Amino acid sequence: MLQSFAAGDAVLHSAEFMKNEVQHSLIHNIVDYPDALRLTTSDRRLLFVQSKGYSPWLWVSGELEPAQRIRLIEQLIENLEELPDSDFPGITAEPQTARIFAGAYCAARGKLYHTNMLLESYQCTEVRKPSSVQGTLVQAATVHIPVIAEFTAGFARDAFGTSQPVEHYLPHADAAVRTGNLYLWMVGGAPVAMAKTVHRSARICRINDVYTSREFRKHGYASRLVAELCEQVLAEGLIPVLFADGKNPDSNKVYQSIGFVQAGKIAEIKFE
C-alpha cells in the first residue's frame, strides 16, 4: 500500500494537496532532507513524511469521506509496522486527522497521547503595511550574531518555555545569518525585532522566528518587519505563509492586521 516518493514527486503539486498546501507547508521542507522518510499511497491521497528524530507530518486528502479517511489512516498504521523504526515521538496533522492517527497508533502500542500545540496557518496575498512605524529593514550580518542569539533565546523561552543561556544559541545565530534569509528591524541603529524566510517551494515561502525584544514591544516593529518581508516574497511570485500559536491571540491579531488570512489549523500531538 505504501510507496516511497522523491522530493520532486508530482503528488506535491496535485490539485488535492494544493487545497491544503499552506496548512501542510512544512511537508515541502521535510521532503528536501536527504534522510527524510517519504511515504505515500498508490492513489496519492495520503502523505506521511518525517525528518529523522522528529514527529512525522501526515496529510490525508480532504476529498475523502470520513470513513475512507479513517480506514486509510488505519491501513497506514498497519503498514508502518513493517518499517525498521516506527516508534515515533508524535504526529503533526490537521487536528481531526492527528487525533485519528494518535488514537489508533497509541492503542496498538499501549501508549498515551496529548495535544502539545495547536497552530493556525496563514497566507498573505495582499499586504497592509502599518503606517507611522519608525525604523528600517536590514539583512542580518555577522556583526548582529550576538543580538540574534539573544533574540533566539527569548523566542525559545516565549514560544516553547525553554531556558538556555544566550551562548547556547550562538551557533544557530551564525548559521541563520549565513543563509542570507534573516532580517532585522532597526530603530536608531539598534536591532529591535527579527524574522526570517525559511523555505521556498514552487508556490509558497514560509516566514518564522518572528520576535520583538520585550522592551520594544507594542510599537508595531514586528508587524512592519513581517509586512516588508511579505512584499519581498510576493514580488518573487510566491505567497508568504506562516504559523501562529492558537493560544496567542495577540500574535494572531497582528498577522491578520497586516493581511494574513487563516488557512487551516494544525495539531502537534505527542506520544508518551
Side-chain angles (χ1 to χ4, degrees), residues 85-251:
D85 183 9
S86 61
D87 189 17
F88 304 114
I91 188 69
T92 305
E94 178 276 328
Q96 185 179 18
T97 300
R99 287 192 293 270
I100 293 169
F101 181 95
Y105 180 89
C106 291
R109 293 171 177 258
K111 293 190 174 188
L112 301 175
Y113 64 91
H114 69 276
T115 300
N116 185 58
M117 189 176 292
L118 190 63
L119 300 172
E120 191 75 55
S121 66
Y122 285 94
Q123 63 180 340
C124 180
T125 57
E126 186 175 347
V127 185
R128 294 194 294 268
K129 190 183 294 186
S131 59
S132 304
V133 176
Q134 296 181 343
T136 56
L137 176 74
V138 301
Q139 187 179 46
T142 54
V143 68
H144 300 124
I145 288 175
V147 73
I148 292 167
E150 181 182 336
F151 284 1
T152 305
F155 177 85
R157 180 183 59 248
D158 291 353
F160 308 113
T162 58
S163 180
Q164 294 281 0
V166 171
E167 293 75 17
H168 174 81
Y169 296 99
L170 286 171
H172 175 87
D174 179 71
V177 168
R178 292 178 187 277
T179 67
N181 294 322
L182 181 64
Y183 294 84
L184 298 169
W185 192 255
M186 308 287 288
V187 176
V192 298
M194 73 172 183
K196 63 181 177 180
T197 54
V198 291
H199 190 262
R200 286 168 169 81
S201 63
R203 291 168 295 277
I204 61 179
C205 174
R206 187 161 49 87
I207 296 171
N208 77 353
D209 288 4
V210 180
Y211 179 80
T212 304
S213 184
R214 288 190 173 183
E215 63 268 35
F216 295 109
R217 293 178 183 177
K218 305 297 184 182
H219 295 288
Y221 298 142
S223 299
R224 183 64 182 270
L225 168 55
V226 173
E228 295 283 353
L229 291 185
C230 286
E231 283 196 338
Q232 290 186 9
V233 171
L234 288 167
E236 296 176 35
L238 301 175
I239 296 176
V241 305
L242 53 75
F243 291 91
D245 186 346
K247 294 181 180 178
N248 188 335
D250 290 340
S251 64

